[in-house]
Amino acid sequence: MKLVVQVPCLNEEETLPSVLETIPKEIPGIDEIVILIVDDGCTDRTVEVAKEHGVREFVHHSRNQGLGRSFHDGVVRALELGADIVVNTDGDNQYPQERITDLVQPIINGQADIVIGDRQVDRIEHFSGLKKKLQKVGSKVVNMAAETDLPDAASGFRAYSRESLMLLNTVTRFSYCMETIIQAGNKRMKIASVPIETNAKTRESRLFKSMPEHIMKSGAAIVRSYMMYKPYAIFVWLTAFFFVLGAIPFLRYLVLWLSGDNGNHIQSLLLGGVLINLAFMSAMLGVISDLIRTNRVLIEDDLEHTKKARFGKSGTEMLRDQTSVAQFDLPHTQTRTTAQSGETWTTSL
């Protein structure tokens, strides 16, 4: 099997050596390990440092494209290289690369399609109490949307099988973490977790400038991904919400009318009419969005076939083909014995 370890980088010349030096050189069940650096617009010596450490595969961005785009482009290149498994780690050395061996084992053994390194958030010293709580809340929300039970949905230390990457299609450019879990969960992939301990903090996060920004962007990514697969769930609740609110003014008007109050309560009818109209519009949007979801499923089926045609065979399949050709080219011998004389001879085929 062929493993590609992709490392998205943005000016990581100081920490990248530690990352590259701790990536395993040999892993049981893996025949070849390739390191792929995704240069997301680096302006320092990140690329030169990688080359000095023997890296030969790169994806270059002329300017910073974001983590989501870096993941997408890295996966495309990894599949072009024939990867059977793709591991994503970070260039800031926050993840323990030596645990890649444990990360890929469930995929090698056929027990999982995706494996996520559980950072055990409660044990991360440089995380504030608020950040730990938000991480847990975020994981719960993602688990609800994906119908999974993962302890650390935000971890970027992951291993993907080739088959899973053929089915995943990232859209957001902020971060792929939430989106890929929601997609994988709704596509009934097997997702496993491996407990890890992160390394000491080396720098501040470049993914977001403040906690409110992180919450807003992550929340938007979760809602967008969830709506792609279960839009009717959201619009059903919106329809029910507006319908109930709209029914209240109508009931108020009816009660007042039955009680003999002849006052002018046209405002209740107007408000109720507006809210009921919003409920009707939500229901129609739900129908339309569900039709779009159906169309998306069909498009993703076509994308899967397109990817398989584009990226061809995996490293394992190519090795198997080479072995078959080698065996076919070897001279074969056939031994025959005559029934009467018992004479034996060998013929090369």
Side-chain angles (χ1 to χ4, degrees):
M1 300 185 77
K2 187 172 188 176
L3 167 65
V4 174
V5 180
Q6 68 172 32
V7 189
C9 294
L10 176 60
N11 298 333
E12 308 287 8
E13 64 173 330
E14 295 183 1
T15 55
L16 187 58
S18 299
V19 175
L20 298 177
E21 290 167 5
T22 53
I23 293 177
K25 302 298 186 292
E26 294 182 357
I27 296 177
I30 298 296
D31 302 302
E32 182 181 2
I33 300 175
V34 177
I35 299 176
L36 171 64
I37 298 295
V38 182
D39 165 22
D40 192 24
C42 295
T43 56
D44 63 354
R45 296 188 65 256
T46 295
V47 174
E48 288 76 8
V49 169
K51 290 180 179 178
E52 291 170 1
H53 283 76
V55 178
R56 295 293 177 265
E57 295 294 337
F58 295 85
V59 172
H60 296 285
H61 292 162
S62 58
R63 56 176 296 182
N64 179 247
Q65 299 289 330
L67 183 59
R69 182 70 192 190
S70 296
F71 172 78
H72 173 272
D73 292 349
V75 165
V76 169
R77 181 55 184 157
L79 292 175
E80 289 175 345
L81 293 172
D84 294 287
I85 302 175
V86 176
V87 166
N88 189 89
T89 187
D90 282 352
D92 61 358
N93 197 37
Q94 67 167 303
Y95 298 121
Q97 278 66 235
E98 60 272 9
R99 295 297 305 279
I100 289 177
T101 300
D102 300 318
L103 203 65
V104 300
Q105 285 305 315
I107 297 179
I108 294 174
N109 297 331
Q111 299 171 341
D113 301 302
I114 300 173
V115 183
I116 300 174
D118 173 17
R119 297 170 296 173
Q120 305 177 84
V121 175
D122 285 332
R123 303 174 64 176
I124 301 179
E125 295 181 357
H126 62 269
F127 273 18
S128 65
L130 175 61
K131 188 170 184 178
K132 291 178 181 179
K133 291 180 180 179
L134 290 174
Q135 291 277 338
K136 291 181 179 179
V137 171
S139 293
K140 288 183 179 179
V141 172
V142 172
N143 284 325
M144 290 175 60
E147 298 181 6
T148 54
D149 186 21
L150 301 170
D152 187 10
S155 173
F157 190 47
R158 303 180 175 191
Y160 296 84
S161 69
R162 183 181 183 86
E163 291 72 21
S164 70
L165 293 173
M166 292 291 183
L167 297 172
L168 296 175
N169 301 288
T170 55
V171 177
T172 179
R173 293 298 175 255
F174 168 63
S175 175
Y176 64 92
C177 295
M178 310 295 187
E179 183 180 8
T180 51
I181 290 179
I182 294 174
Q183 285 192 35
N186 282 279
K187 292 182 178 181
R188 297 296 183 264
M189 297 184 196
K190 294 181 180 179
I191 309 176
S193 290
V194 173
I196 62 170
E197 291 187 4
T198 58
N199 296 324
K201 183 178 179 180
T202 58
R203 59 167 173 77
E204 295 296 330
S205 174
R206 294 170 181 160
L207 191 59
F208 53 89
K209 297 179 180 179
S210 64
M211 188 60 66
E213 179 188 4
H214 178 54
I215 294 173
M216 291 180 62
K217 288 186 175 180
S218 297
I222 293 171
V223 172
R224 185 188 301 112
S225 300
Y226 186 67
M227 288 187 66
M228 287 181 180
Y229 293 94
K230 295 183 179 179
Y232 52 85
I234 293 178
F235 285 106
V236 163
W237 281 105
L238 281 177
T239 300
F241 175 74
F242 286 123
F243 183 81
V244 170
L245 286 182
I248 293 174
F250 279 112
L251 290 174
R252 176 179 181 273
Y253 180 86
L254 181 61
V255 170
L256 292 174
W257 181 74
L258 292 175
S259 63
D261 188 345
N262 296 323
N264 186 10
H265 301 291
I266 191 67
Q267 297 91 340
S268 295
L269 293 178
L270 290 174
L271 178 60
V274 170
L275 292 172
I276 293 297
N277 187 50
L278 288 174
F280 176 77
M281 292 175 62
S282 297
M284 292 301 98
L285 287 174
V287 172
I288 294 172
S289 61
D290 193 52
L291 292 174
I292 294 175
R293 180 195 65 83
T294 302
N295 189 53
R296 176 184 173 84
V297 172
L298 297 175
I299 292 174
E300 287 187 337
D301 287 341
D302 287 339
L303 281 174
E304 180 185 355
H305 294 300
T306 301
K307 286 181 179 180
K308 290 180 178 179
R310 173 185 176 184
F311 299 122
K313 298 179 179 180
S314 66
T316 300
E317 291 171 329
M318 288 187 288
L319 181 61
R320 188 185 302 121
D321 289 347
Q322 292 173 359
T323 303
S324 299
V325 171
Q327 291 176 346
F328 180 79
D329 290 339
L330 288 174
H332 296 276
T333 60
Q334 185 178 40
T335 302
R336 298 179 182 178
T337 303
T338 61
Q340 295 180 348
S341 64
E343 183 180 0
T344 302
W345 72 91
T346 301
T347 304
S348 296
L349 302 177

